[in-house]
């Protein structure tokens, strides 16, 4: 009877995963860094889990369509969100959302981070951070910088750089970073911040000058470019980062399993090599550490946005902030 009784819990436990896993990404299929990193993780995660992991692209609304879809999904661990740093930027900017980040989604693991590169047009005489700061101070409110749009990380990151050094310049928002880089290479803008992936061919082709990267570590694909931190802007760090979240009521056992497998992948030589080629840096964390990171990032960006609103930086508050 004891043997029979002991068999009941095991029989009642469902195998995980019991079906293919949907990794929902808030970007179009193909081309974007988000989709590329999501597919790398899906490919690698399928092996230890013993099940297909399929990327499900749900673009739109700064990736909040994807986040809301996962927040409302069955919390059985078979629908996961491949989130970007946009999950906290949206809240900091007061965007109306159909979900609440800290109550409707559960952090699983961070995956990778991609630094940005601060670049200037070739005809600007500055070749390093000190020279650029001096040039900006000599030309207050005369220089222009482009971004992928108001409130985008390429805008807020530049705001943070200017604020840290008590500088001022005119912001020109674009619908995406690509047209901004076209105008920068054409001399119609003075400087901009872009992901290292977009920046590398322009820098290596000498069409733009790289002043510094924005991560705490130098980029693997632009190792000759120093970081802002090591160039004297102490503690400066801005990256596009990616992680995995699940519906809030998912079993802690499933969260722990997924977290463990993702952290193992970040020690796998092939995964690390492929991240390096894509400009990504390993960025693992436990679920608790990831939750704390999300909270700290939200506080950091919210403070910057609030200061920008007071200073008239074009960051008007939206209704429905959470």
């Amino acid at each position: 009877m004891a043997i029979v009784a002991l068999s009941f819990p095991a029989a009642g436990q469902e195998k995980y995963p019991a079906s293919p896993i949907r990794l929902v990404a808030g970007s179009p299929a193909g081309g974007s860094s988000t989709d590329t990193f999501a597919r790398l993780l899906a490919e690698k995660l399928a092996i230890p889990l013993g099940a297909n992991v399929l990327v499900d692209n749900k673009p739109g609304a700064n990736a909040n369509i994807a986040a809301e879809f996962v927040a409302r999904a069955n919390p059985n661990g078979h629908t996961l969100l491949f989130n970007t740093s946009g999950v906290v930027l949206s809240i900091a900017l007061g965007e109306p959302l159909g979900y609440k980040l800290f109550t409707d989604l559960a952090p699983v693991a961070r995956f990778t981070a991609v630094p940005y590169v601060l670049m200037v047009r070739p005809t600007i005489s500055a070749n390093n951070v000190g020279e650029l700061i001096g040039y900006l101070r000599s030309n207050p409110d005369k220089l222009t910088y482009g971004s992928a749009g108001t409130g985008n990380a390429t805008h807020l990151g530049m705001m943070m750089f200017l604020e840290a050094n008590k500088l001022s310049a005119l912001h020109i928002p674009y619908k995406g970073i690509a047209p901004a880089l076209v105008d920068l290479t054409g001399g119609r803008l003075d400087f901009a911040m872009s992901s290292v992936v977009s920046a590398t061919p322009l820098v290596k082709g000498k069409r733009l000058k790289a002043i510094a990267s924005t991560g705490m570590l130098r980029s693997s694909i632009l190792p000759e470019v120093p970081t802002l931190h090591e160039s004297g802007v102490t503690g400066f760090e801005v990256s596009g980062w990616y992680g995995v979240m699940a519906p809030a009521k998912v079993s802690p056992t499933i969260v722990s399993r997924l977290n463990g497998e993702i952290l193992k992948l970040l020690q796998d030589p092939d995964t690390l090599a492929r991240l390096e080629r894509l400009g990504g840096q390993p960025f693992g964390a436990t679920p608790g550490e990831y939750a704390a990171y999300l909270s700290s990032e939200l506080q950091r960006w919210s403070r910057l946005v609030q200061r920008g609103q007071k200073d008239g930086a074009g960051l008007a508050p939206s209704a429905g902030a959470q």
Side-chain angles (χ1 to χ4, degrees), residues 251-274:
S251 163
T253 302
I254 291 176
V255 170
S256 179
R257 169 85 188 279
L258 289 168
N259 177 267
E261 298 297 356
I262 291 171
L263 295 188
K264 287 178 186 175
L265 290 179
L266 293 177
Q267 299 178 11
D268 168 57
D270 182 66
T271 302
L272 292 174
R274 290 172 65 177

Side-chain angles (χ1 to χ4, degrees), residues 60-141:
N62 197 23
N64 287 311
I65 290 174
E68 183 175 351
F69 178 85
V70 174
R72 298 178 184 277
N74 186 335
N76 59 8
H78 291 84
T79 302
L80 305 172
L81 175 67
F82 188 75
N83 71 275
T84 71
S85 45
V87 294
V88 294
L89 290 179
S90 294
I91 303 174
L93 290 164
E95 295 180 3
L97 305 176
Y99 68 97
K100 294 184 178 180
L101 178 65
F102 294 100
T103 56
D104 294 336
L105 291 168
V108 174
R110 296 185 308 198
F111 181 55
T112 189
V114 181
Y116 295 96
V117 178
L118 175 56
M119 298 176 291
V120 300
R121 55 179 169 80
T123 51
I124 282 184
S125 57
N127 294 298
N128 55 52
V129 172
E131 291 176 357
L132 178 60
I133 290 173
Y135 190 80
L136 283 161
R137 282 186 178 149
S138 300
N139 297 276
D141 294 317

Side-chain angles (χ1 to χ4, degrees), residues 5 30 77 102 109 147 152 155 160 162 182 185 204 207 293 305 315:
F102 294 100
S147 77
N152 182 273
H155 174 210
M160 187 176 289
L162 294 171
V182 169
T185 55
K204 290 190 178 295
R207 299 180 65 193
Y293 181 79
V305 169
L315 294 171

